[in-house]
Amino acid sequence: MLFVANWKMYGSASQLLAYCERLLPQLEQCPHTVVLCPPYPLLAQAVMLCAGSGAAVGAQNCHWAREGAFTGEVSPFLLAETGASWVIVGHSERRQLFGESDDTAAARAQAAQEAGLNVVFCVGETLAQRQAGETFAVLEKQTALLGKLDPERLVVAYEPVWAIGTGHNATPEQVAEAHAFILGRLEGLTGQGVPVLYGGSVKPQNAGELLSTPGVAGALVGGASLDAASFYAIMQAAPATGAKG
Ligand code: PGA
């Protein structure tokens, strides 16, 4: 299975060092693929610390251009140069707080892949959309441009907005239903299977149930990924069949 730690705008250099000292030795026994996504200024340090370990490093966003007059933005090509090999794109916090649209998210994902990065593309409905019965329509719209991407370097994360950082994870039934929909949609768009992660209040206590749900290929973890012990406990809750990948 795949486990992605989304640190959001948390962490520091000293925290990253302590975290890696604790987590990385444990990954030697771990059958899963692990990606750490700290804030931009910590990427190079993370790459150095993770070298030779089972963990890869990713960013939390990138621009869609190789370079240009885009003050404050970061090129995916520069991210690749730091040694990062993944990037999260289209996170709901980007969509809700920073004006991310389906078009801009797809453009970022495409540029990231051109730079050689693997993409975790986030989708998910708000509570109002779910209550209005619009979940599948929203997921359909958010995934509409993913056929342009290389499915070999693409992972989708289903993150219902109402479950992110709230402590209220989706139920296994809701997850199974949404993942089946996304898997079918991606198969139709790309002609092959694309792994789908679940994200939204994943914790050691609920990870076993969520990760055993059909169609779940791993987790995108926010809050609980900031603590090495709880992130590792989430991985340990994965069903035993989880092969590397
Ligand atoms: P959470 O965040 O695990 O804190 O709910 C998940 C995410 O935002 O990716």
Side-chain angles (χ1 to χ4, degrees):
M1 287 193 151
L2 171 62
F3 292 88
V4 182
N6 175 13
W7 275 25
K8 310 193 180 190
M9 205 176 76
Y10 293 102
S12 65
S14 58
Q15 220 174 313
L16 180 66
L17 178 61
Y19 185 90
C20 286
E21 278 174 354
R22 175 116 197 232
L23 180 70
L24 299 182
Q26 293 180 294
L27 298 186
E28 283 166 26
Q29 312 302 326
C30 177
H32 305 299
T33 301
V34 177
V35 182
L36 304 184
C37 301
Y40 290 131
L42 300 180
L43 288 175
Q45 185 195 359
V47 167
M48 233 153 44
L49 290 168
C50 291
S53 80
V57 175
Q60 299 171 17
N61 190 24
C62 68
H63 198 259
W64 53 78
R66 176 184 281 269
E67 60 182 5
F70 302 112
T71 303
E73 293 291 325
V74 178
S75 161
F77 291 84
L78 190 56
L79 291 177
E81 216 177 280
T82 67
S85 47
W86 288 80
V87 63
I88 299 169
V89 169
H91 190 279
S92 67
E93 286 152 14
R94 302 296 321 168
R95 292 175 187 268
Q96 295 207 304
L97 304 172
F98 301 100
E100 184 81 281
S101 69
D102 297 329
D103 286 342
T104 55
R108 291 180 208 280
Q110 229 175 333
Q113 289 193 336
E114 279 161 25
L117 301 174
N118 299 295
V119 170
V120 179
F121 192 94
C122 303
V123 298
E125 80 288 357
T126 63
L127 185 58
Q129 288 166 334
R130 175 164 282 272
Q131 286 171 341
E134 293 168 3
T135 298
F136 294 142
V138 169
L139 296 176
E140 190 169 306
K141 184 170 167 294
Q142 290 175 333
T143 51
L145 299 172
L146 298 188
K148 293 182 175 181
L149 299 180
D150 173 3
E152 297 290 338
R153 287 181 179 278
L154 175 64
V155 171
V156 172
Y158 171 59
E159 296 206 306
V161 178
W162 47 272
I164 295 178
T166 58
H168 302 297
N169 59 281
T171 66
E173 293 71 29
Q174 290 168 328
V175 173
E177 199 180 55
H179 279 233
F181 180 84
I182 295 166
L183 282 165
R185 173 92 171 132
L186 266 291
E187 177 103 43
L189 286 168
T190 68
Q192 72 179 70
V194 167
V196 182
L197 311 181
Y198 169 76
S201 296
V202 178
K203 302 193 167 13
Q205 302 87 305
N206 59 22
E209 194 178 37
L210 289 165
L211 294 168
S212 313
T213 301
V216 175
L220 175 53
V221 187
S225 77
L226 285 163
D227 177 68
S230 73
F231 188 45
Y232 188 62
I234 288 169
M235 293 180 224
Q236 284 187 300
T241 49
K244 192 109 188 155

